[in-house]
Amino acid sequence: MKADIHKTLTRLDLIIGRETNCHFNNPVAPGKIETFEKKNGIRLPLSYKLFLEYTNGGMIVSDRLEEIIKRDKELDTAKWNATFLLSLEEIEEKYNDKASWNFGGAELAGGPYPFIPFCSTETDEYLVFVSLSKENEESPVFDAFHEESVNSWGLVAENFNEFLISYLDTLGHPNVLGDVAKGMAVDFIETPETVETGEESQEEIIDRTTKRLKVKSDDDWAYMERGMAYMKLGDAKSALKDYNQSIALAGDDPFYYFKRGELYRNAGKKRAALIDFDTAVKLKPDDALYLSFRAETLYDMKKHQRALKDVNLVIERDDTDLLAYMIREDIYRAIGETEKADLDAQKIKELEENK
């Protein structure tokens, strides 16, 4: 498979050099793919990861759309009307959107939402992979029409390389309609019983990442992963050293600031924690976890109104966010809003009962 996708990427490179209607991004930044996978507990197919390392998404458009791009001097209109391969950042955004819709996938998998959108079609639908546990295992490509249940998401291609070949053959106009007779997305979901966990111990993670860093000393995710392992073993000093190195190498990753802020907060360094949570929220304003942890830190510092603003924003976006309600109940009690606190306590009870 690795050899096959490299041949296809070489062909894509030739097409980009020959055709004027190609719009592809620079490669994804090193370590970003692994960060995305670890953070969400999912795995992209190897073939798509190699594609992202060649180009972080893009599209081949029709002559009509190329004229629109030249006229408007931007790609947004074309993206809405083309079959567009998503960047890693767009994958994460759409993954979070679909995970909130759910379609029952997380319940079937018994874990993280298993469907990963990677391609937007001309009709504003998505093609998806299924997250699989084995590193070199390739997911088929399925159509994920938003008005249909997961049980009717049919097979489009046997793997991403096959789909990319079709994409290049048709210069950006591949078949995107799945065939349920050939396979359905729901049949490829791994249940807890079918997944071989083989979880590493923290010591094994430290050993593996240390060896990795001897070969590639600028691997920001390896530092982060090792730091998290140190934290779980109670070695905050070593963890902080690795977190600092991750941030020095990739200062635009909000997750790294979040983890360091969490460490500072656990160590009682509230102001330092708040600075890191502020940075995480600035880099990713819509992240409920970052907002909630900042709110909790503000609450600890008795900055109740600022804390309340953060948790209200989380609850406005998701009225089932248990952590946000728990923090808000504490805030309301601290400022003497007992009736509102009791209402949140009741909501917390309902959410816990409906888990």
Side-chain angles (χ1 to χ4, degrees), residues 253-277:
D253 193 310
F255 182 67
Y256 293 175
Y257 289 98
F258 166 72
K259 292 304 294 183
R260 191 173 70 178
E262 188 179 33
L263 182 153
Y264 281 141
R265 187 172 184 275
N266 290 338
K269 298 181 179 180
K270 299 171 188 175
R271 189 167 297 279
L274 181 59
I275 291 170
D276 275 351
F277 291 147

Side-chain angles (χ1 to χ4, degrees), residues 128-141:
V128 300
F129 300 124
V130 177
S131 176
L132 301 175
S133 61
K134 295 179 182 177
E135 185 170 356
N136 294 320
E137 194 170 5
E138 289 288 316
S139 166
V141 173

Side-chain angles (χ1 to χ4, degrees), residues 325 328-330 332-333 337-350:
Y325 280 109
R328 194 170 72 173
E329 182 195 357
D330 289 341
Y332 280 145
R333 295 202 187 282
E337 297 275 2
T338 306
E339 289 186 13
K340 291 181 179 179
D342 289 343
L343 287 173
D344 276 353
Q346 181 60 37
K347 181 68 174 181
I348 291 165
K349 183 179 178 182
E350 292 171 5

Side-chain angles (χ1 to χ4, degrees), residues 300-317:
D300 290 342
M301 299 171 73
K302 302 190 184 307
K303 298 179 184 293
H304 297 133
Q305 292 306 316
R306 284 184 61 193
L308 194 58
K309 183 178 178 181
D310 276 354
V311 287
N312 282 341
L313 186 58
V314 173
I315 292 168
E316 282 173 17
R317 292 171 179 161

